[in-house]
């Protein structure tokens, strides 16, 4: 879904979801998510939006106010905002961020614990790369039209919240470091045919072992990840350039 609100620029997308009564009563659920490219003029002010918001700033800065306190989220910062309370946030220059509105389960208790742990609703997180990856995979799943069961979405939200809580467990950080060369290789070679052997070679693994570990960690095969990244790049180029569809 394209966004035409003031301050939101080309390439931005948002997706909305309506939870069932079962999800509202028993699960963690999503009401909307997206990736925004913004500029001066982007500003949101609400009284009660009936959910919580987790975001990750990819570039630029956001000024966020809640409970009489203002905090600035710059590149690499994570935010966890209680949107049941009056709040306001706006862009400071050109800013790009991933975000999700969620609720259900014990989200309120996660919020209370995390804001106490990190001293506020905007913070540096030792596992911030993991937050970025989880939010990106979530948005990508909506972009690609994946129809997940609400229980699976709930598991994703719980995984995100527990990742925020554990501060980036050593095992997870090690796995992220292991796969980083492969992810960079994929990102740099989206425009040409690449093989599983090449991907595995970047991390010095057999393609069998690499494929097994990759799917275990990311929830999709390396090839599925590659296809999604190509689709997302194509969507971005279609929205932000005048390149013909063939190119």
């Amino acid at each position: 879904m394209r966004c035409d609100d003031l301050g939101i620029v080309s390439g931005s997308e948002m997706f909305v979801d309506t939870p069932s009564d079962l999800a509202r009563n028993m699960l963690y659920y999503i009401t909307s998510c997206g990736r925004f490219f913004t500029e001066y003029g982007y500003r949101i002010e609400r009284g009660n939006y009936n959910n919580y918001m987790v975001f990750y700033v990819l570039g630029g800065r956001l000024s966020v106010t809640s409970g009489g306190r203002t905090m600035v989220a710059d590149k690499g910062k994570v935010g966890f905002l209680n949107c049941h309370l009056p709040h306001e946030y706006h862009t400071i220059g050109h800013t790009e961020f991933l975000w999700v509105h969620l609720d259900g389960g014990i989200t309120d208790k996660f919020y209370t614990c995390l804001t106490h742990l990190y001293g506020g609703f905007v913070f540096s997180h030792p596992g911030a790369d993991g937050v970025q990856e989880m939010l990106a995979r979530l948005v990508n799943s909506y972009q690609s039209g994946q129809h997940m069961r609400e229980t699976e979405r709930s598991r994703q939200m719980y995984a995100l919240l527990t990742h925020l809580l554990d501060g980036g467990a050593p095992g997870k950080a090690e796995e992220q470091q292991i796969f980083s060369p492969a992810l960079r290789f994929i990102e740099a070679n989206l425009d040409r045919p690449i093989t599983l052997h090449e991907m595995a070679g970047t991390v010095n693994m057999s393609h069998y072992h690499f494929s097994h570990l990759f799917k275990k960690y990311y929830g999709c095969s390396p090839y599925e990840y590659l296809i999604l990244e190509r689709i997302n790049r194509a969507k971005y180029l279609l929205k932000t350039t005048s390149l013909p569809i063939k190119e």
Side-chain angles (χ1 to χ4, degrees):
M1 179 184 297
R2 295 180 63 182
C3 309
D4 300 315
D5 292 341
L6 180 65
I8 299 178
V9 301
S10 179
S12 300
E13 284 193 297
M14 68 172 289
F15 306 90
V16 297
D17 208 342
T18 303
S20 67
D21 289 339
L22 172 67
R24 288 187 179 278
N25 291 328
M26 299 181 65
L27 304 175
Y28 296 91
Y29 57 86
I30 297 168
T31 55
S32 59
C33 65
R35 179 174 187 155
F36 277 0
F37 300 86
T38 63
E39 59 186 1
Y40 285 108
Y42 175 71
R43 182 174 182 271
I44 297 294
E45 184 173 6
R46 306 185 183 102
N48 180 358
Y49 201 52
N50 297 309
N51 55 43
Y52 293 82
M53 179 184 184
V54 175
F55 63 87
Y56 177 87
V57 179
L58 294 158
R61 293 186 295 166
L62 282 175
S63 173
V64 187
T65 301
S66 179
R69 183 180 184 184
T70 297
M71 303 185 74
V72 174
D74 53 15
K75 182 177 180 180
K77 291 288 181 66
V78 177
F80 193 176
L81 190 60
N82 184 354
C83 298
H84 292 276
L85 304 176
H87 58 281
E88 181 270 343
Y89 52 92
H90 64 272
T91 289
I92 305 174
H94 296 278
T95 303
E96 177 187 359
F97 61 102
L98 292 158
W99 57 272
V100 59
H101 283 289
L102 72 153
D103 213 330
I106 55 170
T107 306
D108 56 337
K109 291 182 173 59
F110 274 106
Y111 174 82
T112 300
C113 179
L114 286 163
T115 52
H116 175 73
L117 179 65
Y118 292 109
F121 45 81
V122 170
F123 46 87
S124 296
H125 190 276
D129 287 347
V131 177
Q132 176 188 352
E133 290 173 6
M134 295 170 96
L135 289 175
R137 289 201 303 270
L138 172 69
V139 173
N140 289 347
S141 72
Y142 279 94
Q143 285 176 326
S144 61
Q146 294 181 25
H147 299 291
M148 291 187 184
R149 297 176 64 179
E150 288 184 311
T151 49
E152 176 58 28
R153 289 290 188 208
S154 180
R155 282 192 287 269
Q156 290 183 338
M157 292 302 94
Y158 186 69
L160 173 62
L161 294 171
T162 53
H163 180 80
L164 287 171
L165 187 60
D166 69 19
K172 290 293 184 183
E174 289 170 4
E175 286 181 290
Q176 290 166 15
Q177 187 174 6
I178 288 171
F179 287 118
S180 290
L183 299 183
R184 289 195 295 269
F185 175 78
I186 291 171
E187 180 69 21
N189 292 278
L190 293 176
D191 59 342
R192 74 171 185 85
I194 58 177
T195 67
L196 181 60
H197 286 82
E198 288 180 295
M199 293 185 234
T202 64
V203 293
N204 298 314
M205 292 184 190
S206 72
H207 67 280
Y208 295 109
H209 188 51
F210 173 75
S211 184
H212 174 73
L213 290 182
F214 192 99
K215 187 165 186 177
K216 180 181 178 182
Y217 184 62
Y218 289 102
C220 63
S221 71
Y223 181 71
E224 289 170 333
Y225 182 91
L226 171 63
I227 293 300
L228 287 175
E229 287 298 297
R230 284 175 171 161
I231 289 172
N232 293 333
R233 176 67 64 82
K235 285 183 176 181
Y236 175 76
L237 292 174
L238 285 169
K239 290 178 178 296
T240 59
T241 73
S242 59
L243 292 172
I245 292 175
K246 182 178 179 180
E247 185 171 351

